[in-house]
Amino acid sequence: MKNVVLLPGQAPPVAGVGAAGGADRRTRDRLTELLLERGAATATELGCALGLSAAGIRRHLDAMLADGLVLTREQATTAPRGRGRPAKVFALTDAGREGLPHTYDDLASAALRWIASRSGPEAVAAFAANQVAGLEERCRTAMAEAGADPIARAEALARALTAEGYAAGATTIATGGQLCQHHCPVAHVAAEFPQLCEAETRVISRLVGTHVQRLATIANGDGVCTTHIPRRNLSNRTVRTTRD
């Protein structure tokens, strides 16, 4: 190592720390992406996805826990619990989501407050409907080959929404289908103006071709935006049950 002249109070450099820091940052960015896509996952699942050892993945997760970027909870299961501690799953916190792109939250909120103060909540609802019209058109184009079955259309919609940055997925459950969006670009604005979520729900209903019910939203403090699609005409489809 070369001789280094240190200024008063300056700590000596650690060999390789710059490269390691960059590698750690990339790994944690990828962990954030995986948790965004999956909603929650165990350390083992995350380690397998990234090709990391148990010790390696826990080092990164412990650092993210310390920074308040992820949280842990017991893994939900319907199977009898065996010996040992229950498995833990990791999920992003609100702080963990803050590093993801948002749509000029402060400016958008200020603009909607201005609209509401002058023209009332109906004007905000009209704005919200107009705002999602472009999204609806793009998704409808992407779903052109999806057919008429609501669940098939939900799966196609999930792919279209993922392309739009919503990290969405669709599954078939015993009571129908479920569309989950793991990211909302306007979550903070929608927390103040639920008309945005309501307009989006109507878009989902029109695109899948049936009545839907919003069960949870990120804007309301939930981890995932979840939309239930009632079971209809599924006799010719293989039902894939999922475990929460």
Side-chain angles (χ1 to χ4, degrees), residues 76-95:
T77 178
T78 57
R81 181 174 294 175
R83 293 182 178 180
R85 292 181 298 178
K88 297 284 187 181
V89 295
F90 293 81
L92 290 177
T93 63
D94 288 342

Side-chain angles (χ1 to χ4, degrees), residues 34 38 47 59 72 74 77 107 110 117 121 133 139 141 173 175-176 178 201 205-206 230 237-238:
L34 283 171
R38 300 184 182 191
R59 179 173 68 85
T72 62
E74 289 187 11
T77 178
L107 179 61
S117 68
C139 289
T141 299
I173 57 177
T175 57
Q178 189 164 275
T201 302
S205 178
R206 289 194 294 267
R237 290 178 56 83
T238 300

